[in-house]
Amino acid sequence: MRTLYVIGIGAGDPDQVTMQAVKALREIDVYFVIGKGVEKQELVAVRTAILTEYADRPYRIVEIPDPPRDRDPADYRDTVLDWHERRSLLLEEAFAAQEGVGAILVWGDPALYDSTLRMVERVLARGALDFDYTVIPGVTSVHALAARHRTVLHRIGEPVHITTGRRLREEGLGTGSTVVMLDADCAFTTVPDDTFIWWGAYLGMSDEALIAGRVGAVAGEIVRQRTQLRERKGWIMDIYLLRPAE
Ligand SMILES: C[S@@+](CC[C@H](N)C(=O)[O-])C[C@H]1O[C@@H](n2cnc3c(N)ncnc32)[C@H](O)[C@@H]1O
């Protein structure tokens, strides 16, 4: 039976690749890269550095272009599901055309805000292609953030909630700790001033930026740095932890 690996590669620092991932990389014949056309050069460079350092055998890279997607749809969920279906068809086609052990490298960990596993399940569910797949966990950006700020994600015995910037704006801040990802518009500016924030951008990469403090004291500085970095680099990837004052 054909084998496919879905491998979490960590959130930007090639040293975050696990030994389990390194062992898998030594078995892989072909890497499927989905949506490379829109990927940032630095993200491609991280992946290249990982393969150069750890995949000590010949391999092929097959690029699968992303199908077009409506970024502002009337029905968000249906549009995303349709897009996943079209992506999974392209993956199926590419996988069927290749020999050997395949892999998809996933930023951070495949279980967190990533659609690769859903896509692979769709390919299997269609039943045209029979294969077994293995998921290898990676260091998430959530964990990279906590480590760089040397902090625990929650207070003793309390829960931690992981959400998006859009939902933080719509739903407000809960009582426990909240990690916010995928935030294009600085949703932290909407929470009370005495909330504590631990913010990080480009974690593990050469332009890494870290700021921590009360929202009322540091939000302006985060917005300023975020804008400057995004203008200079053309893109931004940031994440933060919020905790209401006790
Ligand atoms: C599509 S999600 C992918 C998350 C990924 N699977 C993970 O395990 O971290 C992308 C979001 O992850 C966060 N992120 C990923 N890598 C990051 C990094 N190196 N620095 C800061 N934020 C990062 C940002 O919030 C970004 O908007």
Side-chain angles (χ1 to χ4, degrees):
M1 191 183 291
R2 298 278 309 272
T3 302
L4 180 73
Y5 281 98
V6 178
I7 305 178
I9 57 168
D13 180 348
D15 284 352
Q16 285 171 359
V17 174
T18 66
M19 285 311 298
Q20 193 184 11
V22 169
K23 286 180 188 168
L25 294 180
R26 293 181 184 147
E27 282 179 40
I28 286 153
D29 302 296
V30 53
Y31 293 91
F32 299 98
V33 176
I34 305 167
K36 187 167 185 266
V38 294
E39 256 188 307
K40 315 293 173 276
Q41 265 323 106
E42 277 163 281
L43 306 192
V44 177
V46 171
R47 190 173 54 229
T48 307
I50 288 170
L51 292 182
T52 306
E53 189 164 350
Y54 304 119
D56 57 353
R57 57 172 292 157
Y59 56 81
R60 307 182 296 283
I61 293 190
V62 172
E63 289 170 26
I64 305 175
D66 254 341
R69 173 181 170 186
D70 183 352
R71 293 271 157 196
D72 195 15
D75 187 326
Y76 179 78
R77 196 164 179 277
D78 279 0
T79 307
V80 170
L81 289 178
D82 171 61
W83 186 63
H84 285 174
E85 182 65 17
R86 286 182 287 133
R87 279 183 123 198
S88 73
L89 280 165
L90 293 176
L91 172 66
E92 180 174 326
E93 223 170 76
F95 195 35
Q98 295 291 323
E99 302 271 308
V101 177
I104 303 175
L105 303 185
V106 174
W107 196 259
D109 180 84
L112 188 64
Y113 289 117
D114 188 273
S115 59
T116 307
L117 296 181
R118 290 195 185 100
M119 240 170 34
V120 171
E121 277 299 321
R122 275 170 184 262
V123 174
L124 276 175
R126 273 197 293 272
L129 207 58
D130 196 20
F131 60 93
D132 190 21
Y133 78 101
T134 299
V135 179
I136 298 190
V139 173
T140 71
S141 50
V142 177
H143 298 96
L145 175 77
R148 293 299 289 126
H149 281 289
R150 300 183 296 189
T151 191
V152 180
L153 291 172
H154 48 78
R155 291 194 189 105
I156 298 172
E158 286 188 1
V160 56
H161 180 59
I162 302 180
T163 190
T164 62
R166 185 166 59 93
R167 281 190 172 267
L168 177 67
R169 272 184 189 276
E170 286 169 8
E171 295 163 11
L173 191 60
T175 49
S177 303
T178 301
V179 175
V180 183
M181 306 174 69
L182 294 158
D183 181 8
D185 307 310
C186 300
F188 53 84
T189 55
T190 64
V191 305
D193 272 359
D194 59 355
T195 309
F196 208 93
I197 182 167
W198 292 262
W199 174 83
Y202 315 104
L203 293 163
M205 307 174 83
S206 57
D207 286 305
E208 181 180 88
L210 300 169
I211 295 179
R214 297 271 171 216
V215 164
V218 299
E221 176 58 14
I222 297 175
V223 172
R224 197 185 59 74
Q225 276 211 28
R226 206 181 174 279
T227 310
Q228 240 178 29
L229 284 163
R230 195 177 47 189
E231 271 168 17
R232 178 157 61 79
K233 293 170 70 75
W235 60 285
I236 180 106
M237 203 161 52
D238 66 340
I239 180 168
Y240 49 92
L241 169 66
L242 295 173
R243 187 169 305 146
E246 269 182 294

